[in-house]
Amino acid sequence: MQAAKILIVLIVGYVARLQAVSLPERSSNLQTRWNWKYNRCKNGGTRITTFKGWRLKSNTQRGPQFTCSCPERFYGNVCQFHVCDHHDCQKGACEADKTNARGYKCNCMEGYKGKNCEVHVCDQHVCQNGTCEPVTCKTSTRGYKCNCMEGYKGENCNVPVCDQHDCKNGTCDADKTRTRGYKCNCIEGYEGENCEVHVCDRHDCKNENCESDTTRTRGYKCNCLEGYGGENCEGNLYQCVYHFMYSRIALMPQ
């Protein structure tokens, strides 16, 4: 009879103790003991024994206990989680990094930046007269370049191409087909890449009397002195008259 009472007391105490422990805690304890039995530290973790025997007067230790010393990149009671299992990288790949407080870093894909690769590089661009285009960091440290619209240049497309033109005798006009981005529209009488050459600097007028003339292909005409004619004033009219008169006299009957 006495033995039965003792057994009932023990059963009641055990049930009360079991009810006092939450289901997750009981599951965790069971899993821990299972892992102890089969040495289940995962991902190369090392088992460290924290308690080897039973404590009859303690409710906190009921069997062998251990913890896992996890290798880099892993965590959890049995090293079951990789640091990148629950990363916050939005536009990039997660990489373990022990120098980072959270244990990993985000390697952003092209066009994104920020702690979690959450910012598009063109969201904060400073292109004034053009469009933003993501590029690799090897091309630009800021991660993007500005594609300027016609008539502008500069890192941020903030400089009109004609602000620094070299047109000497003419006006500047934007031209994206040219390397420098502009062309020179020369005034009458001038030519050359920068309108630096007067058309009469290279004339063929024999009497040195050149005048610009846009109606002519070569851009100038020769104003001949009296007695001269031809495209370049190369003909001596007096000489022609002399030869004509001489030839007429020679034909007259003697």
Side-chain angles (χ1 to χ4, degrees):
M1 187 65 180
Q2 185 66 24
K5 290 182 179 181
I6 294 174
L7 180 60
I8 291 174
V9 171
L10 291 175
I11 292 174
V12 171
Y14 177 76
V15 171
R17 168 59 182 164
L18 189 62
Q19 291 176 342
V21 179
S22 65
L23 182 58
E25 183 181 350
R26 292 200 299 271
S27 298
S28 177
N29 288 339
L30 290 173
Q31 182 64 45
T32 301
R33 291 171 187 171
W34 173 268
N35 289 334
W36 170 269
K37 182 178 181 181
Y38 294 100
N39 192 21
R40 289 295 183 87
C41 286
K42 299 181 178 181
N43 298 304
T46 303
R47 187 178 69 179
I48 300 176
T49 303
T50 57
F51 180 70
K52 295 182 178 180
W54 292 79
R55 290 183 182 177
L56 298 179
K57 295 183 179 181
S58 173
N59 291 326
T60 58
Q61 300 290 348
R62 290 186 172 274
Q65 302 292 316
F66 73 94
T67 60
C68 291
S69 176
C70 301
E72 185 181 342
R73 304 186 304 279
F74 295 95
Y75 69 98
N77 61 334
V78 288
C79 308
Q80 71 271 37
F81 300 118
H82 189 280
V83 291
C84 286
D85 285 347
H86 304 94
H87 69 81
D88 295 319
C89 303
Q90 296 183 26
K91 298 289 184 178
C94 174
E95 180 184 353
D97 182 6
K98 64 180 180 181
T99 64
N100 195 302
R102 59 184 181 175
Y104 69 89
K105 65 180 180 179
C106 295
N107 295 319
C108 302
M109 59 189 294
E110 184 176 324
Y112 290 87
K113 64 180 181 178
K115 180 180 179 181
N116 296 318
C117 306
E118 74 280 14
V119 181
H120 194 281
V121 292
C122 285
D123 287 346
Q124 302 171 348
H125 75 82
V126 289
C127 303
Q128 296 184 24
N129 298 284
T131 58
C132 174
E133 179 186 353
V135 295
T136 62
C137 292
K138 293 181 180 180
T139 306
S140 174
T141 54
R142 60 184 183 176
Y144 70 89
K145 68 176 182 178
C146 296
N147 296 317
C148 301
M149 59 189 295
E150 185 175 354
Y152 292 90
K153 65 179 181 178
E155 186 178 30
N156 298 320
C157 304
N158 56 323
V159 181
V161 292
C162 285
D163 277 0
Q164 302 171 351
H165 71 80
D166 295 318
C167 302
K168 304 298 183 183
N169 297 283
T171 58
C172 174
D173 190 11
D175 185 353
K176 64 180 180 181
T177 64
R178 299 176 181 245
T179 303
R180 60 183 183 176
Y182 70 90
K183 65 179 180 180
C184 295
N185 297 315
C186 303
I187 63 176
E188 183 177 343
Y190 289 88
E191 63 184 4
E193 183 73 9
N194 297 316
C195 305
E196 73 278 18
V197 180
H198 194 281
V199 293
C200 286
D201 289 346
R202 52 167 182 74
H203 72 82
D204 294 321
C205 301
K206 301 303 181 181
N207 59 9
E208 300 297 325
N209 193 357
C210 172
E211 180 183 351
S212 63
D213 185 354
T214 57
T215 64
R216 298 175 182 248
T217 304
R218 61 183 184 176
Y220 69 90
K221 66 180 180 178
C222 295
N223 295 317
C224 301
L225 295 176
E226 184 178 353
Y228 290 87
E231 183 72 10
N232 296 318
C233 304
E234 70 278 12
N236 189 326
L237 299 181
Y238 290 125
Q239 187 176 13
C240 290
V241 171
Y242 171 79
H243 283 294
F244 175 76
M245 295 299 295
Y246 181 81
S247 63
R248 296 296 293 177
I249 293 173
L251 293 175
M252 292 179 64
Q254 298 295 325

